[in-house]
């Protein structure tokens, strides 16, 4: 199966604190990694594969679309953001690992880094979103059992 993103790079920028200037080639690996590590593990391979196939074929059911937008999307964005943070600061190149700065920006001082709740906030939000996703899945499973 081709590379399938369950959340677009544009949506990730809109729903997070990421700057619009961040390149897609920087975002995509974090989204794919977050999908494969965290979302697939939570959903199970069969459902995860079905959602990816549904995105490609554009044949998601209404429930799958809502689930993708309201539960997977927010969770995936937070996990991808968490995985992206080191890549925004450091770049691995042929000559080694570079600390990314530019003429127009100033790097954070140590005091600012310890006072900035970025990683803690992303982690807390991620845990909250994955818990919502799991509750939704367990409720859906319970509803299906009651129907039979």
């Amino acid at each position: 199966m081709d590379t399938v993103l369950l959340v677009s790079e544009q949506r990730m920028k809109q729903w997070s604190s990421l700057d619009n200037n961040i390149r897609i080639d920087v975002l995509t690996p974090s989204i794919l990694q977050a999908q494969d590590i965290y979302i697939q593990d939570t959903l199970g391979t069969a459902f995860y594969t079905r959602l990816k196939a549904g995105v490609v074929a554009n044949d998601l059911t209404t429930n799958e679309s809502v689930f993708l937008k309201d539960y997977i999307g927010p969770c995936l964005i937070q996990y991808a953001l968490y995985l992206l943070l080191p890549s925004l600061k450091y770049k691995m190149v042929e000559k080694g690992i570079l600390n990314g700065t530019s003429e127009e920006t100033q790097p954070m001082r140590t005091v600012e880094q310890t006072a900035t709740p970025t990683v803690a906030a992303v982690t807390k939000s991620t845990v909250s979103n994955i818990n919502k996703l799991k509750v939704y899945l367990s409720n859906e499973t319970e509803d299906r059992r009651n129907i039979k």
Side-chain angles (χ1 to χ4, degrees):
M1 184 178 282
D2 291 329
T3 300
V4 179
L5 298 178
L6 297 179
V7 66
S8 70
E9 295 96 342
Q10 188 59 38
R11 185 170 179 211
M12 186 168 170
K13 289 178 183 180
Q14 290 172 340
W15 286 27
S16 71
S17 59
L18 290 175
D19 187 85
N20 282 329
N21 292 331
I22 296 175
R23 295 185 330 264
I24 289 173
D25 64 319
V26 173
L27 292 178
T28 302
S30 297
I31 295 171
L32 290 171
Q33 188 178 18
Q35 284 180 190
D36 290 345
I37 294 171
Y38 301 108
I39 303 302
Q40 182 176 5
D41 186 53
T42 302
L43 300 180
T45 301
F47 187 35
Y48 174 71
T49 303
R50 163 59 200 135
L51 289 175
K52 286 175 54 175
V55 167
V56 170
N58 197 27
D59 69 351
L60 292 171
T61 67
T62 302
N63 286 344
E64 289 170 338
S65 293
V66 168
F67 182 63
L68 195 60
K69 180 181 174 281
D70 294 347
Y71 294 91
I72 293 176
C75 184
L76 181 54
I77 287 168
Q78 293 303 313
Y79 273 124
L81 184 60
Y82 175 74
L83 294 171
L84 177 67
L85 287 173
S87 300
L88 294 176
K89 178 69 175 162
Y90 301 102
K91 303 290 180 225
M92 289 185 276
V93 296
E94 190 174 301
K95 295 183 182 200
I97 299 174
L98 301 178
N99 183 350
T101 60
S102 72
E103 302 153 7
E104 296 88 31
T105 62
Q106 295 294 320
M108 291 177 77
R109 297 175 300 171
T110 304
V111 172
E112 292 171 322
Q113 290 176 13
T114 57
T116 303
T118 306
V119 173
V122 168
T123 304
K124 183 177 180 181
S125 179
T126 302
V127 169
S128 173
N129 283 316
I130 200 75
N131 287 338
K132 288 178 192 174
L133 190 149
K134 287 177 180 179
V135 167
Y136 179 86
L137 285 175
S138 66
N139 288 343
E140 283 291 306
T141 303
E142 187 63 33
D143 289 346
R144 286 191 186 122
R145 278 191 219 126
N146 291 335
I147 291 172
K148 293 180 180 177

